[in-house]
Amino acid sequence: MISQIIEDILLDHEENLIIDGHKVATVRAENTCLHALMILNSVGYSSIPVLDREGRVAGQISTPLIFSGIKDELQYNWDKLAERRVSEVMSTNVAVLDENCALEDILHNLVNHSFLCLVDSGGFFRGIITRRELLKRVNYLAHEFDRYTEMYSN
Ligand code: AMP
């Protein structure tokens, strides 16, 4: 159970904790690895969510996953970049939470995942919560905690 003061400080910000789906770089499971590599390279993130045709979260993709996926016994087969699909090399180890989930679940999952995918009640992708955004708030909490406890005690 998270203390109400802590929850208020972490959630009460002008900026939204969730990065809207429209601002999140994603690839489709049916895209080629070459396409995914180009997207990863242009956005500069180490990994990004993979969506299925309907817009549900299917997994996550990263450059190391793509490179492992096109490797034969000992060497890379670059031709496979344009042949293999993201679905064949992606990882399904991605945290997917309901967009109305509790702060407790967010904190718990961000320990092991650098970003969390938020979905609506139909399971459709809505956006992500990143460690950075949450840590910015923890930083704020660490500096402003005394001010809030004073406010709550009055
Ligand atoms: P951060 O905490 O900002 O470093 O973000 C954690 C991770 O979330 C990044 O390494 C990316 O994998 C992912 N991420 C953050 N922002 C975006 C975005 N706009 N589009 C896609 N993935 C993102």
Side-chain angles (χ1 to χ4, degrees), residues 9-109:
I9 303 174
L10 288 177
L11 295 183
D12 183 22
H13 284 251
E14 269 180 28
E15 274 176 46
N16 201 337
L17 182 59
I18 302 175
I19 300 177
D20 191 85
H22 297 110
K23 295 181 184 158
V24 178
T26 60
V27 288
R28 297 275 169 175
E30 69 272 17
N31 286 154
T32 63
C33 287
L34 181 60
H35 177 85
L37 194 59
M38 283 161 57
I39 301 280
L40 280 162
N41 188 50
S42 71
V43 295
Y45 293 116
S46 51
S47 68
I48 55 175
V50 179
L51 305 182
D52 68 15
R53 282 177 200 277
E54 283 76 42
R56 295 190 168 90
V57 180
Q60 52 127 333
I61 190 73
S62 65
T63 306
L65 282 169
I66 294 174
F67 284 175
S68 316
I70 60 155
K71 205 171 173 187
D72 291 334
E73 293 283 294
L74 287 174
Q75 56 189 7
Y76 295 102
N77 180 343
W78 302 109
D79 291 340
K80 282 192 178 171
L81 268 181
E83 293 162 8
R84 299 208 80 182
R85 302 286 148 181
V86 168
S87 56
E88 297 174 80
V89 305
M90 70 183 186
S91 163
T92 52
N93 180 20
V94 58
V96 182
L97 299 180
D98 185 274
E99 61 184 339
N100 298 313
C101 66
L103 176 62
E104 200 152 349
D105 295 328
I106 295 171
L107 291 174
H108 183 71
N109 278 280

